[in-house]
Amino acid sequence: MAKTAATEKLNVSIPWPFAAREVKLNTDTNLLKLIAMATMLIDHAGKMLFPQYYVLRVIGRIAFPLYAYCLAVGCVYTKNPLRYLTRIVLLALISQPLYAVALGHTVPSMYSVSFAEHPVRAALQFYTGSWNHPSILLSLSLGMILIWTIREKHLVLSVAIVLFCYLAQASLDYGIRGIILMTLFYLFCAYPLISFPVVAAYMIWWGLQGSGFTLFDVRFGSQMFAVLALPLIYLPIRTHLRMNKWVFYLFYPAHLALIYLVDTFLM
């Protein structure tokens, strides 16, 4: 009896953020993914095809919070985090060269070796050079790794990932701020009354770091318009929309190829 009492005394658990959790925000993620894909396409089309219409880039700010939230929800419910992460990493590895050429992130080193004379070496140089500006998939992958380390209580790894993201943020799309947003969605997904003010305050602070817009003498950047995604995340929408998961994954390289073809042959 004494041994049992001692064992129970030593069995100290922290319910948050390590406890098994559920999502009490909007779980209609198929609808959110569809909106994220549409706004991402609008954003990238605005950058490459219609730069004169800046409103398209503003609409595009909605995409990242939706992607970050949907992947955080996926991290809650997945039974195989490694397989989930592997799909995103493979997508990043495959899509990177297409991302570089489609969205104007090519660098001279990508073309420094002649394909006619050294095709294999040229292809390798082209691929490695395309990572000069990694796509958003790298940031999302790092966010998923950070969430996994929190979920599995590997706190030393969590600190290491945060430190790495901080040091490498200049090379990450949305920097460490995007990874923090993804983590906040995960940590507070079971507590909507806490999640909304925390996430909203963080996103407003993030928007205030930029410039280009002024309202009531307050200057802010285009990232402020990302808060328009919050109603979609926090309102209980129930459309019961069904979408094959591979549509979500394959849309990314497909929309890049579309933009590249239109930009190259039609614009």
Side-chain angles (χ1 to χ4, degrees), residues 76-265:
V76 173
Y77 288 122
T78 184
K79 295 180 181 179
N80 193 328
L82 181 58
R83 182 181 299 174
Y84 189 32
L85 174 63
T86 299
R87 287 198 293 265
I88 302 298
V89 171
L90 286 176
L91 184 62
L93 293 173
I94 294 170
S95 302
Q96 181 59 38
L98 186 55
Y99 167 80
V101 297
L103 298 186
H105 295 302
T106 57
V107 292
S109 63
M110 294 173 63
Y111 306 97
S112 61
V113 179
S114 170
F115 276 89
E117 297 178 5
H118 307 284
V120 176
R121 203 171 109 203
L124 182 61
Q125 182 67 25
F126 184 86
Y127 182 81
T128 55
S130 71
W131 283 93
N132 182 70
H133 191 294
S135 76
I136 188 60
L137 294 173
L138 177 60
S139 297
L140 294 175
S141 297
L142 289 170
M144 293 176 70
I145 294 173
L146 177 58
I147 289 173
W148 175 78
T149 62
I150 295 172
R151 171 175 160 166
E152 301 299 322
K153 306 179 185 179
H154 300 311
L155 299 188
V156 174
L157 287 177
S158 300
V159 173
I161 292 296
V162 171
L163 180 61
F164 172 80
C165 293
Y166 175 77
L167 295 175
Q169 62 178 315
S171 299
L172 298 176
D173 209 359
Y174 291 101
I176 194 173
R177 295 170 183 169
I179 294 171
I180 291 174
L181 177 62
M182 189 175 173
T183 308
L184 290 177
F185 280 135
Y186 173 79
L187 292 177
F188 298 105
C189 64
Y191 312 98
L193 294 181
I194 300 176
S195 178
F196 180 76
V198 169
V199 171
Y202 177 74
M203 292 177 69
I204 290 172
W205 169 82
W206 187 356
L208 290 173
Q209 306 310 301
S211 60
F213 298 87
T214 304
L215 182 64
F216 301 121
D217 293 328
V218 177
R219 300 190 65 181
F220 56 92
S222 62
Q223 191 59 36
M224 182 67 76
F225 295 100
V227 299
L228 297 176
L230 294 182
L232 297 169
I233 293 171
Y234 288 94
L235 291 178
I237 304 171
R238 298 289 183 272
T239 64
H240 304 291
L241 178 69
R242 293 181 177 273
M243 182 174 63
N244 187 288
K245 66 181 180 181
W246 291 108
V247 173
F248 176 63
Y249 293 115
L250 296 178
F251 179 82
Y252 187 78
H255 97 282
L256 292 174
L258 176 63
I259 288 176
Y260 176 74
L261 292 173
V262 172
D263 189 30
T264 303
F265 297 106

Side-chain angles (χ1 to χ4, degrees), residues 12-68:
V12 179
S13 62
I14 304 175
W16 181 91
F18 309 113
R21 62 187 66 251
E22 59 180 325
V23 177
K24 294 185 178 179
L25 311 182
N26 185 8
T27 56
D28 196 352
T29 52
N30 281 332
L31 174 65
L32 298 185
K33 289 175 183 177
L34 189 62
I35 296 172
M37 290 187 293
T39 50
M40 179 178 64
L41 176 60
I42 290 171
D43 181 36
H44 292 164
K47 178 182 180 182
M48 301 305 299
L49 307 179
F50 308 105
Q52 67 273 31
Y53 301 116
Y54 194 73
V55 66
L56 300 179
R57 305 304 311 279
V58 169
I59 294 172
R61 298 308 95 207
I62 296 173
F64 176 73
L66 295 181
Y67 274 113

